[in-house]
Amino acid sequence: MTGDLYVFAYSWEAEFCYGTEYPGCSKPMPYWKDHFTIHGLWPQYSTGGYPADCTTEPYDVSSAKYVGWETMIQYWPDVQYVVTDPEYPQFWEHEWTKHGTCSGLSQDDYFQTTINLAKSFGTPQCLMDAADAGTDVDAATLRTQMGGSSYASLQCTSGKYLSGVYTCWKEENGIPTTQTECPADVLSEDNCTSDTLVVETF
């Protein structure tokens, strides 16, 4: 692997969809309504910065079929396209080309490993409860349930509308193992300045 840790990036799909007319936003999967979805699994340097585009290996859509097409759409969707659009996999292609090529993993293993992490390190209960109830979420509680303030970097629109979170992970042979403190440059990207965060819903 190029890099010595991973950043695992989650998105809050309802916030991403807010104010757009993307096809996938009009018919959200039930899972998206109260769960984070995957943005990516990104090799990172603990000293700061990250590698990118480490090989020229082209994306192979068969990796999505290996993981399971429905599984990929549920956990790692691209709402900008209808699922039958030939362009639908371009988000996965981008993530593989920029980040996955630096993981040292095969495409099948890279995507399956990322899905596995989403299943084992899921959406915090406080956020699921807020989404289901249509209420705000306490930023400090969310950081705590994501591992702690030095382990999670919250992402917001305009400082208060939750849009995602970055967490950091030790790796062994390209496989994320245990959560670890995030480098300073990742923590500095926490832009949720409000104590209470708005949880957009579909």
Side-chain angles (χ1 to χ4, degrees):
M1 174 172 157
T2 306
D4 55 2
L5 58 85
Y6 277 116
V7 169
F8 183 44
Y10 263 148
S11 296
W12 189 251
E13 211 65 55
E15 178 60 31
F16 181 79
C17 283
Y18 183 79
T20 74
E21 295 183 0
Y22 294 138
C25 297
S26 62
K27 295 181 180 179
M29 292 185 70
Y31 179 85
W32 306 345
K33 296 180 180 181
D34 57 5
H35 287 79
F36 280 124
T37 57
I38 298 168
H39 185 170
L41 184 65
W42 306 334
Q44 184 87 13
Y45 296 116
S46 57
T47 53
Y50 60 89
D53 304 297
C54 293
T55 77
T56 57
E57 181 185 342
Y59 172 72
D60 187 344
V61 73
S62 67
S63 62
K65 297 173 184 175
Y66 171 82
V67 174
W69 192 262
E70 291 301 321
T71 298
M72 288 293 289
I73 291 170
Q74 175 175 318
Y75 287 92
W76 205 333
D78 184 354
V79 294
Q80 297 179 75
Y81 298 93
V82 294
V83 296
T84 54
D85 192 315
E87 295 296 310
Y88 191 88
Q90 74 166 16
F91 180 31
W92 305 330
E93 179 179 11
H94 168 80
E95 291 299 313
W96 165 254
T97 302
K98 183 175 181 179
H99 302 289
T101 56
C102 301
S103 68
L105 300 174
S106 69
Q107 294 190 44
D108 289 353
D109 288 345
Y110 174 72
F111 287 103
Q112 186 64 66
T113 292
T114 308
I115 294 292
N116 291 347
L117 186 54
K119 290 180 176 180
S120 64
F121 186 75
T123 304
Q125 192 63 46
C126 68
L127 180 54
M128 295 178 67
D129 290 344
D132 292 339
T135 59
D136 297 343
V137 67
D138 180 72
T141 301
L142 181 57
R143 287 189 182 94
T144 296
Q145 292 192 10
M146 292 301 296
S149 60
S150 63
Y151 291 77
S153 180
L154 299 185
Q155 307 298 299
C156 283
T157 303
S158 303
K160 67 176 182 177
Y161 299 93
L162 181 68
S163 61
V165 62
Y166 301 157
T167 56
C168 300
W169 295 80
K170 295 179 181 179
E171 63 83 27
E172 188 171 327
N173 298 319
I175 303 296
T177 54
T178 56
Q179 196 174 2
T180 188
E181 290 187 317
C182 289
D185 61 331
V186 176
L187 292 176
S188 70
E189 294 185 48
D190 189 321
N191 58 3
C192 295
T193 53
S194 176
D195 292 337
T196 303
L197 306 180
V198 178
V199 180
E200 191 62 52
T201 55
F202 285 107

